Structures are given as structure tokens and as C-alpha cells.
Amino acid sequence: MCLGVPMKVVSRDGDTVVAEVDGVQREANVTLLEENIEIGDYLIIHAGFAISKLDEEYAEETIRLMREVFSEEDMA
Amino acid sequence: MTGEMKYKDEFRDKWLVQNMAANIRRMAERLSAPVNFMEVCGTHTMSIYQHGIRSLLPENVRLVSGPGCPVCVTPTGYVDKAIASAADPDTIVATFGDMLRVPGSHSSLMEQRAGGADIRIVYSPLDAVALAKKNPERRVLFLGVGFETTAPTIAVTILEAARLGLKNYCVLASHKTMPVPMEILSGDPELNLNGYLCPAHVSTVIGGNAYKPLAEKYQFPCVVTGFEPADVMQGIEMLLAQTLRGESKVEIQYRRAVSWEGNPKAQAILRQLFEPCDAVWRGLGVLPGSGLAIRGDYAEFDAELVLKLDIPEAIENRACLCGEVLKGKLTPFGCPLFATVCTPESPVGACMVSSEGTCAAAYKYGR
Ligand code: SF4
């Protein structure tokens, strides 16, 4: 029950958004977020509420650094 | 790469994870003694079993599962209270689905429902408020369990019920806060922990700063870590790097979702609705200041006060070793009932119920 899933916002109506993951759409409430939410944002949805907005820059950065550091031929 | 799953795919890249494992093995050669890192979240535990992370680690880097599954740490007495409230025909009990199979002293909500009690599974706590609105002549009691991730969502339901002027909605609150049990386990000589993979989604709310007192007091590294395999491997790598340098800092691996300050709006709602209280944790006992009680201003929504439930003392099943599992002192494989008498279809203990429970994860992926 503690699961939180990153989902992409596809529409918004007041405090309620429709978010999607793997082709499944769900309504979620965004009252707990301070940030402005726009269509296309990724939110972590837990029990019908967005609890965090995913920072795409950090996500890309994390992956880029991981690949950079762990891609040398001699690693494996 | 586009599509909704872009991050998931990338953080599950097998080749990347293998390379990270090779790096961890190389770093571990420089350790003077084995290290024990605790993964706190049930979702970490599930991911670690699912992706076979333990088999990628050298012998001297050990992962210990912690008390971070909210359903698992809910005490038997709480289930008994829920069952007692469900016995009233004027009451609808609304709950997250995984509470249903948790054994109480004599029965479970599942068995009560089969016997005719009105117990409804909701996905969002707000669905419970909608139920109350739709059934004005009956009482809707929501089972408020969960950590700092879930507690704000339930706080919102109380505010919503107040806004709607509902007199028939209440919450049986058993929320718990994470840093307190981590502090207790940190000082346990038997566990001999050397660092934490700190909770991921709890930390979206409380922020990385919340672990600083712990890291300072016990002088070991704390890394807030995401749930995907590459996240977990990087979290372990960061813990090892600190260990080898003799550092004890808090770091955030899961920067894409967690900030140092956390979610200020969720924190404000938590403070408005709840105040710290002592709470009973299955396996850990009563931990002072580790729970969240509904504040007096909102007493009319507090099921404890509204119903004044008086139930007999809970009877624990002594054969179940969940308590030891939750403290990280026993793996499910050390429990004689595991996968024989106790299975997800007929769980003896709470750790076998929730998919985040250590016994359930070990059953599904670990055998
Ligand atoms: S396997 Fe079952 S009985 Fe044993 S500790 Fe886990 S939940 Fe309890």
C-alpha cells in the first residue's frame, strides 16, 4: 500500500488530474503539491494523490552520470 | 526515448546494473570488515528480491530488511478494533486492500466480510469520504494506516469531510513516522548496522534533512534511495564509498523525486491535523513519539473518541516470527512456518500479507 508510481499527466481539471502509466489512466488529486502542474509532467502518485513532482532534469542527469561512470569496457 | 516508462526502463538496464555490481565488488575488497546496510522500505525489500540484488553483492556487503511496510507493522490490536467496529451494522469500514488479510486475534477483515460485515476497499482515501456523502444514514470509518507518505492523504480526507459538514466520517488513525524506529534499530548491537538505504517516498514528504540527526548521532551514512534496480545499486555504492572514506553524511540518490526540504505543503497539513503520539509497532513494541494522533480540533473525526472502543487485549500468534523479521534479525527462511503453513493465500502473520512484506517478497521471488 505504500507503493508510489510515476505517472504522466494527460489532463487537468482543478485539483484533479488524469495521469497515465503503461496505457492505464487514473485520476489523482494534486492538493498536496506546491508546484504548478502542467500536462506532460511526471508525478509520483500514491493512494490517489500526487505526493511529488518528478524532476526530469535530475532523472536525465542521474542516468547520464550512471552511464558515464559505469560504462567502461573493463567493468563487467 | 519517449513514452511513460522511459525512466523505469533506463533504471532497469541489466547491463548498467551488472557494471554497478562489478564496481561494488571491487570497492568491497577494500573493506576491513563486513558491512550491514538496512533497506528500510518494504518497496525496497520487494525490489531487492524481485531483481535478485543480493545475489549480485559480495559476501561482505549485506542487506538487512527493515520495518518499512506499513501493513506489517500494524499491531494485532488495531485489526481487532477494526473488526469490532465492522460488527456494527450501521458502520461501513473503508480500507486499503492489503489490510483485509491481516490476522487479528481471532479473525481477519476478510473473514468478517465473508460473514456479512460491510467492508469496502478503496483506492484513494477520498473514496471513503465519497462513501460517507452517499450514505448519510450510516457511519463510514476509514482505516488510517501508513507512514508520512500516506498520512497527508488521510489528513486531506478529514479536511474534506469538515468542509462538506459530514458528521458520519471518522478515521481509526494508526499512522507512524519513520525516523523513530530507524533510531531504535541504529543502536541495536545485535544488528550492528553500518548505514541506511533511507525510505524513498516517505522522504518525498519529510525530505533528506530529516535523517541528519541520525547520521550524526550514530556516525553512519544514510542514502535516500529510489526503488529501481539501478537506484538500489547506486545507493549501495554511495553507502560503500562513504564507509571507505570514513564519512557519515546524508545523501540523496533519488534526487528526481526527493529534495532536502521535502514537501512543505504535505508537512503543513500533517502538522495541522496530527500531533506526535506513542505508537505500537509490531515487533518493536511501543515507540515514544513515533505515531500521529488526530489533533483535538478534529476530535469529531477521530474514531477512537467517537466510538470509545473497548476491546480485550490482543492475542498474538506466538508461532509467527514477524516481529523478528521486522527488526531485521531473522529472514523469512529462518521461520519454520514460511511457505509451509504460512503462504500469501493463508498468511499467519502480517509480513506475509502485503506485497511489500518481507515474507511475501521472499515467497514470491526468493525461493
Ligand atoms: S513466514 Fe509467516 S509466520 Fe513466519 S514470520 Fe513470516 S509472516 Fe510470520
Side-chain angles (χ1 to χ4, degrees), chain B residues 21-328:
Chain B
N23 186 52
I24 287 174
R25 284 195 293 274
R26 228 178 350 243
M27 290 171 84
E29 286 169 12
R30 290 159 50 208
L31 286 171
S32 50
V35 286
N36 302 311
F37 297 141
M38 176 170 272
E39 92 270 4
V40 177
C41 282
T43 313
H44 282 138
T45 302
M46 199 166 77
S47 172
I48 286 164
Y49 275 105
Q50 182 180 356
H51 300 285
I53 302 273
R54 276 195 183 82
S55 68
L56 297 173
L57 300 177
E59 252 176 52
N60 58 348
V61 177
R62 300 176 190 147
L63 290 180
V64 183
S65 303
C69 157
V71 172
C72 305
V73 296
T74 300
T76 308
Y78 180 84
V79 179
D80 291 348
K81 272 187 198 164
I83 288 174
S85 351
D88 173 3
D90 288 330
T91 297
I92 300 172
V93 171
T95 177
F96 294 124
D98 32 5
M99 284 299 291
L100 238 62
R101 286 175 188 269
V102 180
S105 294
H106 305 287
S107 170
S108 68
L109 289 163
M110 182 89 123
E111 283 164 24
Q112 296 301 303
R113 191 170 70 162
D118 195 349
I119 298 165
R120 318 257 184 114
I121 295 175
V122 295
Y123 162 66
S124 163
L126 279 176
D127 299 341
V129 178
L131 266 178
K133 202 175 156 195
K134 232 172 77 186
N135 297 277
E137 72 295 348
R138 300 178 71 198
R139 171 182 289 123
V140 172
L141 176 138
F142 185 73
L143 301 183
V145 295
F147 300 126
E148 293 95 324
T149 331
T150 319
T153 71
I154 291 161
V156 170
T157 69
I158 295 178
L159 291 174
E160 179 66 5
R163 191 182 68 83
L164 294 170
L166 295 178
K167 301 278 172 233
N168 63 332
Y169 177 74
C170 61
V171 174
L172 189 59
S174 174
H175 297 106
K176 295 181 167 61
T177 52
M178 217 49 231
V180 178
M182 288 172 70
E183 159 119 43
I184 304 277
L185 295 172
S186 299
D188 191 317
E190 202 185 312
L191 277 175
N192 194 13
L193 294 181
N194 304 99
Y196 276 115
L197 292 171
C198 293
H201 291 153
V202 160
S203 304
T204 64
V205 174
I206 68 177
N209 284 335
Y211 307 101
K212 284 189 175 160
L214 197 73
E216 255 160 49
K217 184 166 172 195
Y218 292 95
Q219 290 292 304
F220 57 43
C222 290
V223 178
V224 178
T225 304
F227 292 129
E228 298 298 343
D231 289 321
V232 175
M233 293 307 270
Q234 191 175 37
I236 295 169
E237 195 263 340
M238 289 164 87
L239 285 172
L240 270 180
Q242 283 202 51
T243 307
L244 290 171
R245 289 195 301 262
E247 289 176 352
S248 50
K249 291 187 300 195
V250 179
E251 292 180 286
I252 305 177
Q253 181 277 334
Y254 196 34
R255 281 309 297 265
R256 62 188 185 279
V258 175
S259 65
W260 287 103
E261 299 76 32
N263 178 337
K265 208 167 165 194
Q267 289 169 13
I269 288 183
L270 278 183
R271 275 194 303 270
Q272 184 186 349
L273 271 291
F274 299 114
E275 58 193 354
C277 65
D278 298 349
V280 187
W281 295 61
R282 194 186 289 260
L284 300 172
V286 179
L287 305 185
S290 70
L292 293 172
I294 298 173
R295 282 191 188 276
D297 299 350
Y298 298 93
E300 59 181 304
F301 300 103
D302 186 345
E304 294 277 359
L305 302 175
V306 174
L307 303 180
K308 299 190 183 67
L309 292 164
D310 190 20
I311 54 154
E313 203 181 321
I315 302 166
E316 305 288 345
N317 184 332
R318 284 160 169 259
C320 171
L321 303 173
C322 258
E324 296 305 296
V325 171
L326 288 165
K327 281 183 285 200

